[in-house]
């Protein structure tokens, strides 16, 4: 007589989402919130006054708002640790791109202020908030650079 035993093993990997409210109080979390507020203000200012070059500024502000919001949600929910990838490097590259985009958007807004500034106060406000957003994104770029360097220096490779 042959006996057959079946063993079932259940493996739970833990929850996909791990809520991390402390991230909002960290320096990168605070910077992301400031970036979101400045992006939203730039979007509103550009929407008030349509000027040549405003389309680029609008594109930069909206894309920055959406992607920064996604990054903030991913950090708060702890999703970045669940996906494989060099997330510190990815965020660092993202912030380099957004910093360059906001530098260009700030210059475009400055040219618009020089050309039409006395007629539209919202163009002046757009320029000021673009420069402020650019400063915050550049600061966040340096923080992401430090995080990336710290994560890459702790990685040990063996051959």
């Amino acid at each position: 007589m042959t006996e057959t035993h079946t063993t079932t093993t259940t493996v739970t990997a833990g929850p996909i989402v791990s809520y991390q409210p402390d991230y909002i109080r960290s320096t990168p979390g605070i910077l992301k919130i400031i970036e979101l507020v400045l992006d939203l203000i730039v979007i509103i200012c550009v929407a008030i006054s349509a000027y040549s070059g405003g389309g680029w500024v609008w594109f930069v502000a909206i894309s920055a708002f959406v992607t920064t919001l996604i990054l903030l949600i991913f950090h708060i929910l702890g999703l970045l640790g669940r996906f494989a990838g060099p997330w510190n490097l990815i965020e660092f590259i993202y912030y380099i791109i957004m910093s360059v985009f906001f530098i260009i958007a700030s210059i475009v807004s400055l040219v618009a202020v020089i050309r039409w500034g006395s007629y539209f106060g919202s163009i002046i406000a757009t320029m000021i908030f673009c420069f402020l957003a650019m400063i915050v994104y550049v600061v966040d770029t340096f923080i992401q650079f430090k995080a990336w360097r710290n994560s890459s220096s702790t990685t040990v490779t063996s051959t």
Side-chain angles (χ1 to χ4, degrees):
M1 234 172 151
T2 307
E3 288 185 34
T4 307
H5 294 290
T6 304
T7 305
T8 305
T9 305
T10 306
V11 177
T12 58
I16 293 175
V17 176
S18 63
Y19 180 61
Q20 300 173 358
D22 292 337
Y23 182 79
I24 295 174
R25 287 183 233 120
S26 68
T27 302
I30 292 169
L31 286 173
K32 280 182 182 50
I33 292 171
I34 293 170
E35 291 160 2
L36 288 172
V37 170
L38 290 173
D39 293 342
L40 194 58
I41 292 171
V42 171
I43 291 167
I44 292 168
C45 290
V46 172
I48 291 172
S49 66
Y51 60 94
S52 64
W56 170 254
V57 177
W58 202 339
F59 165 75
V60 170
I62 289 174
S63 61
F65 181 81
V66 170
T67 51
T68 303
L69 181 63
I70 290 169
L71 282 173
L72 180 65
I73 290 170
F74 275 27
H75 279 288
I76 290 173
L77 297 179
L79 293 175
L80 293 182
R82 302 293 291 177
F83 301 114
W87 286 105
N88 287 330
L89 178 61
I90 291 169
E91 270 194 87
F92 174 54
I93 292 170
Y94 163 75
Y95 277 104
I96 289 173
I97 293 168
M98 280 299 120
S99 295
V100 170
F101 280 7
F102 266 108
I103 289 169
I104 296 168
S106 298
I107 293 169
V108 167
S109 297
L110 177 62
V111 170
V113 165
I114 292 169
R115 189 177 291 169
W116 300 295
S118 61
Y119 300 109
F120 300 105
S122 62
I123 297 175
I124 297 171
T126 301
M127 181 203 64
I128 291 169
F129 287 110
C130 269
F131 273 107
L132 290 174
M134 175 197 66
I135 291 168
V136 176
Y137 275 94
V138 168
V139 169
D140 213 348
T141 301
F142 285 115
I143 289 174
Q144 294 303 325
F145 174 73
K146 287 180 183 178
W148 172 65
R149 293 294 271 177
N150 288 339
S151 70
S152 66
S153 66
T154 59
T155 304
V156 177
T157 58
S158 60
T159 56

